Amino acid sequence: MRNLLILFSVFFWGLVIWYAYTQMIPRGQYGVVFLGGILELFIFTELMSLAGGGRGQLFADLKRAFSRENLVDTIPLSLSAVVVAATCSYLAVNYQAVAIDRAGRALPNEYVMAAAFSIVIIYLTWRAFGQTFLIVVLAGFAYGYFGMYAPGPLEHGGLGIERILRTVVISVDGFFGFLTRLVAAWIALFLLYAGFLKAYGAFDLIMRLAFRSARYIDSGIAQTAVLSSAVIGSVNGSQTANAGMTGSFTIPLMKRNGMKPETAGAIEAVASTAGQVLPPVMGAGAFIMASLITGITYADVIVAGLIPAVILCVTIFVAVHYVSVPQLDSTDPERLISEPMPRAEFLTEVVKYGVPLAVLIYLLGIVQVTVMTAALWTATSMLITGVLIPVLQAAAGTSDETAGAATKRVAWETLNGAREGVIVLAPVTIILAAINGVVDILTTTGVPTAISLTLMDLSGGVLFVAAILAMIICIVLGLGMPTTASYTIVALLIAPTLINQFFLPELASHFFVFYAAILAGLTPPIATCVAVACGIAGGDFWKSCVEAIKISAPLFVLPFVFVYHPEIVSSEFDLLSLTSGALALLGAVAIIHGINYRFAFGRPITFGARIAFFTTGVLAMLHPSRIVQFTAVGVAIAMYVVQSSVGRPKPIATARSVFGLSGRSAPKTGQTDRE
């Protein structure tokens, strides 16, 4: 069954690549075929898991999957496969008649088909993401049907069952709408690229680079988690999935070197969240943002996200250093790498993974081709370098393998990369298809306008109050969802209010809701990203949440910077944007210092120092007046100088250790000496 999945995955990616290269059919029709294909692959993957991984003989695997104890799973999965095949085939063949010629009308048999397909989508959503998101989808359908019972401005006349079915299936919008087409045309190829990266061993290279950093900074082991999770997370559309993937390695590593489970889990959760906002992919959110904002290109979104990403990375680096150094044991970085990599091989690996990244940057940033074309050639170049370089090395005699053995190995790695790409892509596609259906229902009811009026009413027209309420709504709507899904909902429901009612620039509004939505993964009581990380670490959930919030505190303030200083995300690097970015960075570091630094004073003075650093940091980040911002930064710097002089016998050494430059040669005589 595993080999069958690989075979089906290759056919599926062949279809994706063919469309990206030719675009010979309408995108809506291609979206139908794409969704049908990925749903069938997901169903097959679920059946394979019931067979114990599908690594045995085919008929033995099938017999195990369809055994009596598994019938409660296999029967609905098999029926789902039939419904998906029938519905998507019908809509693809009759696309012109259904989507265009008979728009707004449907045949009786089409309503039956649409009802069955809607049930299948709801069922597969539950299998992929559990009860939390199932409730969100069902609530969207219920609101569309029972809208006449909704309170206040959220009330509407209610949509009939036939209209709901036309909206989500028969119109070839809804589940097949713009989000599904976006995944099919843009995101899928990037996830194939991510699958190749994993299969060809890029993760191992990233970890080696991270381990090397342990030579130069005291918190190097913990920074390993930050670097690897951020890089992998930037191409992964789910912070929770990323925490599970990279955390399975980084969390045990941190624990083995003396870190508490709660701290290890919190660092991984925050690092996985940070990866979602890092250019050039931004957890696939950049693609959706570029498609939602009129007149904005993908390159504009990436450039706009650079300054916030720098602020976030620097502050997380400082925070992780503060919380990890007192806990980590002194570790020889060479001991972490079981097989040292020769310099020549290291350079070859850098070329192998660097060329596709250079292709991506060149095509998007310089040539400025479409995202689909850039994704196609990025994945293709990764395939070429991933296959050719090991084979050429073997043929030249510079590796331990023969050319035949190297060819066989990379062939299996390539096939496995195709399978990995499908495994990552399927849940993302399912949840975005479900979200697309719910959003279309909500749009049909007019709820975005109702939310806009309600938010305006509750805030009294005060921007700061409206921003706080909007952020709370974004966090609530983002609970339990991947980045792409949570951002899409809040971008369609909340961002228009900030744009139309408070005249915030479009990029600033979308970055506000984007950053706010990903906070749901760190915010209790749901905090799905923390839950996954602390499950791996074996730590207490609530303590892990507290640690995660302490490390990521500036992330909760940063969205408001986009409101009061929208030039930070204006896609322009001028004096105004760079000054605002520098002030926000210094303010964020002051917040981190106040919350996480272990002061050498008594409790009352320490508490006062924490409040003072936090307050000056917030003012430096947010206040509209430049005078207040510069004053706040000056006060924070003055407090740091005083604290270093009074609270430490060696202020210069203290300043050096803030940036991890104290060196590993110094003995670990006490916590204060290492900080």
Side-chain angles (χ1 to χ4, degrees):
M1 289 185 75
R2 185 174 182 273
N3 291 341
L4 271 181
L5 177 61
I6 291 174
L7 179 64
F8 295 153
S9 299
V10 170
F11 278 118
F12 174 79
W13 287 119
L15 169 68
V16 173
I17 292 171
W18 170 80
Y19 176 79
Y21 188 73
T22 65
Q23 301 181 49
M24 289 183 63
I25 60 175
R27 182 169 293 192
Q29 189 176 20
Y30 167 61
V32 172
V33 177
F34 174 87
L35 182 59
I38 198 65
L39 290 179
E40 296 288 9
L41 286 170
F42 177 77
I43 292 169
F44 190 83
T45 304
E46 291 292 288
L47 290 172
M48 192 175 74
S49 68
L50 295 173
R55 293 174 179 271
Q57 295 295 321
L58 176 60
F59 291 107
D61 286 341
L62 289 171
K63 184 177 180 180
R64 192 180 306 113
F66 285 87
S67 61
R68 180 174 299 178
E69 61 267 22
N70 289 331
L71 288 181
V72 69
D73 291 307
T74 52
I75 289 176
L77 283 171
S78 301
L79 292 175
S80 297
V82 173
V83 170
V84 168
T87 303
C88 293
S89 298
Y90 179 87
L91 292 177
V93 172
N94 300 283
Y95 178 78
Q96 176 71 25
V98 174
I100 299 171
D101 297 342
R102 287 192 281 107
R105 296 174 291 114
L107 303 176
N109 64 296
E110 292 173 345
Y111 286 116
V112 176
M113 175 189 71
F117 189 77
S118 299
I119 292 171
V120 167
I121 288 290
I122 292 171
Y123 170 68
L124 295 181
T125 300
W126 169 73
R127 286 198 71 97
F129 291 94
Q131 284 185 332
T132 301
F133 192 70
L134 174 65
I135 293 171
V136 173
V137 175
L138 292 178
F141 276 85
Y143 177 74
Y145 187 75
F146 297 106
M148 70 286 293
Y149 302 114
L154 297 178
E155 181 184 355
H156 63 88
L159 305 177
I161 291 179
E162 290 186 352
R163 188 174 180 187
I164 290 176
L165 292 176
R166 285 200 305 272
T167 299
V168 298
V169 178
I170 302 172
S171 64
V172 199
D173 276 320
F175 299 135
F176 303 99
F178 85 96
L179 282 180
T180 299
R181 297 168 194 175
L182 190 70
V183 174
W186 291 7
I187 298 175
L189 285 166
F190 275 100
L191 292 181
L192 175 61
Y193 169 53
F196 284 153
L197 281 175
K198 184 176 181 182
Y200 293 141
F203 186 68
D204 178 62
L205 179 64
I206 292 169
M207 296 302 294
R208 286 176 180 272
L209 290 172
F211 288 149
R212 297 297 178 188
S213 69
R215 287 180 171 182
Y216 309 107
I217 54 175
D218 296 331
S219 56
I221 302 301
Q223 302 298 350
T224 295
V226 176
L227 177 61
S228 59
S229 297
V231 172
I232 300 298
S234 67
V235 294
N236 188 333
S238 170
Q239 65 204 98
T240 303
N242 189 56
M245 182 169 64
T246 58
S248 60
F249 180 82
T250 59
I251 290 174
L253 175 68
M254 287 186 280
K255 287 177 63 181
R256 282 199 305 270
N257 286 275
M259 189 170 291
K260 293 187 298 184
E262 290 79 11
T263 307
I267 289 173
E268 176 58 44
V270 173
S272 295
T273 300
Q276 303 298 292
V277 301
L278 293 186
V281 181
M282 292 168 58
F287 308 136
I288 299 176
M289 191 180 298
S291 69
L292 290 177
I293 305 177
T294 305
I296 293 293
T297 67
Y298 173 78
D300 292 329
V301 174
I302 296 306
V303 173
L306 289 176
I307 293 177
V310 170
I311 294 170
L312 193 62
C313 289
V314 172
T315 52
I316 290 177
F317 171 84
V318 175
V320 168
H321 180 76
Y322 277 159
V323 300
S324 63
V325 167
Q327 299 181 36
L328 287 172
D329 300 324
S330 293
T331 305
D332 179 8
E334 301 296 339
R335 188 171 56 84
L336 299 173
I337 304 174
S338 56
E339 296 180 8
M341 182 180 291
R343 183 179 295 275
E345 184 181 350
F346 175 79
L347 293 175
T348 304
E349 291 289 289
V350 170
V351 171
K352 182 165 74 173
Y353 304 117
V355 167
L357 183 59
V359 168
L360 173 62
I361 295 171
Y362 173 74
L363 291 176
L364 284 178
I366 299 175
V367 182
Q368 295 189 354
V369 299
T370 64
V371 175
M372 182 165 60
T373 301
L376 171 63
W377 291 114
T378 300
T380 302
S381 59
M382 185 68 256
L383 173 64
I384 293 171
T385 59
V387 171
L388 283 185
I389 288 180
V391 172
L392 291 176
Q393 281 182 302
T398 57
S399 70
D400 297 333
E401 292 179 299
T402 63
T407 302
K408 183 178 180 180
R409 175 177 61 81
V410 296
W412 275 109
E413 287 176 350
T414 302
L415 294 173
N416 197 47
R419 182 183 66 89
E420 287 287 344
V422 163
I423 290 173
V424 175
L425 174 63
V428 172
T429 306
I430 289 171
I431 198 169
L432 286 181
I435 283 292
N436 211 148
V438 171
V439 166
D440 278 8
I441 290 174
L442 296 180
T443 303
T444 304
T445 65
V447 72
T449 304
I451 289 178
S452 176
L453 294 173
T454 303
L455 194 59
M456 191 74 174
D457 241 6
L458 292 173
S459 67
V462 179
L463 178 59
F464 183 68
V465 177
I468 291 176
L469 292 173
M471 187 172 191
I472 293 171
I473 294 172
C474 290
I475 291 175
V476 171
L477 290 176
L479 292 175
M481 296 189 200
T483 303
T484 46
S486 58
Y487 165 64
T488 302
I489 286 185
V490 298
L492 294 172
L493 299 183
I494 306 301
T497 302
L498 300 175
I499 296 167
N500 300 324
Q501 302 295 335
F502 295 94
F503 309 108
L504 202 63
E506 283 190 291
L507 267 175
S509 300
H510 279 264
F511 268 94
F512 176 90
V513 298
F514 179 52
Y515 271 69
I518 66 171
L519 292 175
L522 301 176
T523 307
I526 304 297
T528 50
C529 195
V530 179
V532 169
C534 78
I536 297 172
D540 179 78
F541 172 74
W542 291 101
K543 290 180 180 178
S544 298
C545 284
V546 171
E547 289 290 319
I549 291 173
K550 286 167 62 179
I551 294 171
S552 63
L555 183 56
F556 288 80
V557 182
L558 193 54
F560 294 95
V561 178
F562 309 146
V563 173
Y564 288 101
H565 298 283
E567 64 273 7
I568 283 182
V569 288
S570 63
S571 292
E572 295 180 3
F573 291 135
D574 53 18
L575 181 61
L576 181 63
S577 63
L578 293 176
T579 302
S580 296
L583 289 168
L585 174 59
L586 293 172
V589 171
I591 291 173
I592 286 298
H593 186 75
I595 293 175
N596 296 284
Y597 191 76
R598 303 202 174 190
F599 295 95
F601 308 116
R603 182 171 296 178
I605 298 178
T606 295
F607 181 76
R610 294 195 190 285
I611 295 295
F613 274 110
F614 182 83
T615 303
T616 54
V618 171
L619 289 174
M621 291 182 74
L622 295 185
H623 203 280
S625 169
R626 279 282 191 258
I627 295 175
V628 175
Q629 286 184 293
F630 278 108
T631 302
V633 169
V635 170
I637 293 174
M639 287 192 298
Y640 179 75
V641 171
V642 171
Q643 165 224 307
S644 298
S645 301
V646 176
R648 293 281 189 256
K650 298 178 180 179
I652 295 178
T654 302
R656 283 171 54 82
S657 91
V658 167
F659 299 98
L661 300 175
S662 60
R664 292 209 157 265
S665 58
K668 187 176 179 181
T669 56
Q671 172 182 300
T672 56
D673 292 329
R674 295 296 299 280
E675 289 186 289

